[in-house]
Amino acid sequence: MTTLGRLQQRFQSAILAGDRTPGLFIDEENDRRNGVAIYQQAYRARLAGALRDNYPVVHRSMGDEAFAALADAYIAASPSHFRSIRWFGDTLADFLAGSPAHLPHPALADLARMDWALRGAFDAADAPVLTSAEVGRLRAEQWPTQRFTPLPSLRLVELAWRIEPIWKALDEDPDAQTTAPVFDPHWLLVWRPGLDCLWRSADADEAKALQTLQQGASFAECCAQIADSAASDPAATAIDYLRRWLADGLLAKAQR
Amino acid sequence: MSNPISGFGLGLRSSHYHDFLLAPRGVDWLEIISENYLVDGGKPWHFLERIRRDYPMVMHGVSLSIGGTDPLDQTYLRQLKALQQRLEPAWLSDHLCWTGTDSLNLHDLLPLPYTEATLRHVVPRIAAVQDLLGRPLVLENVSSYVAYRADEMSEWEFVRELIHRSGCEWLLDVNNVYVSGINHGFDPRSYIEAIPAAAVRQIHLAGHETHPDYLIDTHDQPICPAVWALYGETLRRLGPTPTMIERDDHIPPLAELIAELDLAREQSQAIFAECRHAA
């Protein structure tokens, strides 16, 4: 470890812990000239700002004060390893789920999952959307091996609580009055067919069918998975799913 | 050395994407924050590609950590290189600073101790980056709020020596020189006079906050009169130099920033008309 390396470790430790750094800086014993405090404050403010940007609805749901306390705790527990601050906060939902002190209601972790999924879809890779007309032109012999690939932006999010109405209300109006969500395990689909993100709720069977497509399975294999699930009419269910995915603009045109 | 871009630019911020699609007059070029485009797609790239058709651009990074003691982040460097190939910027800049150690990123521009050992540490790192990117790296002086007991030379002596040894070029942030000068009690003009004029590619201007014991570089308000005066002195020394205004908080409507940029243009024109007259 070089002298420079040790100096940087000591300065970094002081910023992270909010401590003084004896012996490192000129004027450091002068309270009015405590420049380290400027870096300490800026560090927390910058990361808290990134969390507010990445979790706008969680912020609205909690209010400024509670969100600031959550941000302080998260920043202390999960300092950034990212080159770009855009990714900071990737584990906030799990942190919330494991931190009863910051969790006035367990559904808050699901709100965080929804915020993060939307943030991820926002700048995910683009791909042209597959249309119903293009699927209609498939020849019969193509169907057994046909693959349908979801858009790269598709996020499949498992939720325990029916939080979508709260998310929607707070997204539209920061001061919206909301009621506690009901416990209702299901899935959320988030995707971006153009510049704007879309989302809707889904049941576990549909989410699992999409997961198989994300993993590269053919449509026939996807249908087999649907048949293994509880669907009473697997063929009709598979066709319904496909029609809906096409209508949603959720599948990508095949790459040539 | 001639600059591939000239005139007066602004930092591209997402709140002005739609304005720039209309290619407003009064902005000659744009600077992007590289990290904002290290993403795969969506609105950032949609707008960047369209705006790039109308404006020359330069790339400005905030997380190279050229003075850091962790190894250079090769993944990040490859991303930067890919962005450079896609965007074809006139040049690529970052800061003379470190941003974290032990794999952490504090997302701040932390000052280095100005010592011979630091020079010996940073020069080969600059060489490695320049080799990978295939071009000179442009580095910017940061604002600072601490001075190390370990310092063996002034910041400007360090910068001059760094440019000499590494062949890097310079982004002279006039506001940062002023902020650090007030915070540490040096004459900002000494700094400006010490920087080799031939190495300066670009000038940054910005606003700062005034606190009782410190100036803080906030980029959230208009440029103050003292920084305008220092900019004038800088231009007299350097000659015409591509200049841009950075605004990162309390971002006003684009027309307001263009009006502020016009002040830089008018000052520059007045200074060089005066110089021609004197000659």
Side-chain angles (χ1 to χ4, degrees):
Chain A
M1 172 65 65
T2 62
T3 306
L4 181 62
R6 283 194 297 274
L7 175 146
Q8 292 183 351
Q9 281 185 335
R10 289 178 64 197
F11 194 175
Q12 177 166 290
S13 297
I15 291 172
L16 295 174
D19 293 340
R20 288 292 182 100
T21 52
L24 216 49
F25 302 115
I26 295 167
D27 255 2
E28 67 184 19
E29 62 287 339
N30 179 350
D31 281 344
R32 289 169 59 90
R33 299 288 302 162
N34 184 8
V36 177
I38 296 173
Y39 291 104
Q40 289 164 342
Q41 286 161 16
Y43 168 68
R44 283 167 184 76
R46 192 171 290 109
L47 291 186
L51 288 179
R52 281 195 302 276
D53 289 346
N54 283 335
Y55 294 95
V57 171
V58 173
H59 174 214
R60 288 176 175 187
S61 166
M62 296 181 80
D64 289 340
E65 203 174 315
F67 190 84
L70 167 65
D72 276 348
Y74 182 75
I75 292 164
S78 305
S80 173
H81 293 266
F82 301 104
R83 286 289 113 186
S84 170
I85 201 167
R86 174 255 175 273
W87 305 102
F88 182 66
D90 61 326
T91 56
L92 186 73
D94 291 341
F95 179 78
L96 270 168
S99 312
H102 297 289
L103 206 57
H105 191 287
L108 203 58
D110 277 355
L111 274 184
R113 291 186 180 97
M114 185 165 180
D115 268 345
W116 187 253
L118 283 153
R119 189 70 188 86
F122 170 80
D123 52 17
D126 300 307
V129 172
L130 180 70
T131 64
S132 298
E134 287 160 330
V135 173
R137 286 196 290 274
L138 289 174
R139 295 184 303 277
E141 65 270 24
Q142 288 177 282
W143 277 96
T145 55
Q146 180 63 35
R147 289 175 198 278
F148 294 112
T149 310
L151 290 176
S153 57
L154 176 67
R155 268 71 181 147
L156 304 170
V157 188
E158 191 170 11
L159 300 176
W161 301 81
R162 186 63 64 174
I163 48 101
E164 291 92 325
I166 297 174
W167 190 95
K168 185 169 185 293
L170 287 169
D171 180 55
E172 290 168 355
D173 174 9
D175 301 318
Q177 295 300 309
T178 57
T179 52
V182 294
F183 183 76
D184 177 18
H186 66 288
W187 289 70
L188 174 75
L189 314 182
V190 176
W191 72 102
R192 183 174 54 74
L195 287 180
D196 296 315
C197 295
L198 302 178
W199 58 267
R200 70 169 168 84
S201 312
D203 62 29
D205 290 344
E206 184 182 7
K208 280 174 190 155
L210 281 166
Q211 254 173 354
T212 63
L213 295 186
Q214 276 184 325
Q215 289 157 3
S218 67
F219 188 58
E221 290 165 327
C222 179
C223 290
Q225 140 119 18
I226 293 166
D228 287 344
S229 72
S232 56
D233 185 347
T237 302
I239 294 302
D240 283 350
Y241 284 166
L242 182 59
R243 282 204 181 111
R244 187 151 190 204
W245 297 337
L246 290 166
D248 284 338
L250 195 150
L251 300 176
K253 210 181 284 273
Q255 298 292 315
R256 302 203 170 179
Chain B
M1 199 181 302
S2 64
N3 270 332
I5 63 169
S6 62
F8 298 84
L10 287 176
L12 178 61
R13 304 293 181 259
S14 58
S15 55
H16 296 145
Y17 279 160
H18 288 283
D19 300 305
F20 277 117
L21 287 180
L22 303 173
R25 300 167 71 89
V27 182
D28 301 318
W29 51 276
L30 293 170
E31 180 187 86
I32 64 154
I33 301 295
S34 308
E35 284 75 4
N36 290 351
Y37 301 94
L38 300 182
V39 294
D40 293 323
K43 283 183 183 173
W45 272 102
H46 171 85
F47 286 104
L48 182 64
E49 288 189 322
R50 281 156 184 77
I51 295 167
R52 175 69 183 88
R53 292 174 199 152
D54 291 326
Y55 291 92
M57 287 189 183
V58 298
M59 281 166 54
H60 186 53
V62 294
S63 37
L64 178 60
S65 199
I66 197 70
T69 46
D70 284 354
L72 286 165
D73 184 330
Q74 297 299 325
T75 304
Y76 172 72
L77 285 172
R78 280 193 295 275
Q79 289 176 320
L80 270 191
K81 187 168 184 173
L83 182 57
Q84 172 183 277
Q85 284 167 342
R86 193 165 167 187
L87 202 64
E88 299 181 348
W91 56 77
L92 181 151
S93 63
D94 203 290
H95 302 80
L96 174 62
C97 70
W98 63 287
T99 64
T101 189
D102 297 333
S103 303
L104 294 186
N105 190 350
L106 303 178
H107 299 287
D108 204 344
L109 309 170
L110 301 159
L112 288 164
Y114 302 121
T115 67
E116 174 61 30
T118 307
L119 277 169
R120 285 201 299 268
H121 173 71
V122 177
V123 167
R125 286 166 69 92
I126 293 175
V129 173
Q130 294 184 150
D131 283 350
L132 185 93
L133 297 177
R135 65 199 308 166
L137 177 63
V138 181
L139 287 176
E140 175 185 349
N141 53 294
V142 298
S143 291
S144 64
Y145 315 104
V146 291
Y148 296 98
R149 292 185 180 183
D151 284 348
E152 296 165 359
M153 60 190 98
S154 66
E155 182 179 336
W156 56 94
E157 287 167 330
F158 183 92
V159 169
R160 193 166 53 191
E161 192 58 26
L162 187 73
I163 291 170
H164 173 69
R165 293 192 200 180
S166 71
C168 73
E169 298 179 340
W170 210 252
L171 195 175
L172 185 56
D173 190 313
V174 173
N175 178 61
N176 288 350
V177 172
Y178 180 77
V179 165
S180 293
I182 298 297
N183 287 345
H184 304 309
F186 65 75
D187 182 349
R189 288 170 300 187
S190 307
Y191 194 121
I192 302 287
E193 283 162 16
I195 303 301
V200 178
R201 285 284 131 261
Q202 179 186 345
I203 289 174
H204 269 174
L205 295 172
H208 58 256
E209 270 180 10
T210 303
H211 294 258
D213 301 304
Y214 283 97
L215 300 185
I216 301 184
D217 178 34
T218 45
H219 298 182
D220 65 351
Q221 52 194 294
I223 299 153
C224 77
V227 170
W228 279 122
L230 188 60
Y231 175 57
E233 294 185 40
T234 305
L235 285 180
R236 283 190 178 86
R237 181 163 185 282
L238 299 179
T241 308
T243 298
M244 69 151 270
I245 295 175
E246 287 182 297
R247 186 66 81 87
D248 293 303
D249 215 345
H250 303 148
I251 297 177
L254 183 60
E256 261 181 55
L257 282 182
I258 293 177
E260 194 177 27
L261 196 60
D262 282 342
L263 297 178
R265 186 180 276 109
E266 286 160 17
Q267 186 170 359
S268 174
Q269 285 168 348
I271 285 168
F272 297 117
E274 187 186 297
C275 291
R276 279 195 297 276
H277 187 67

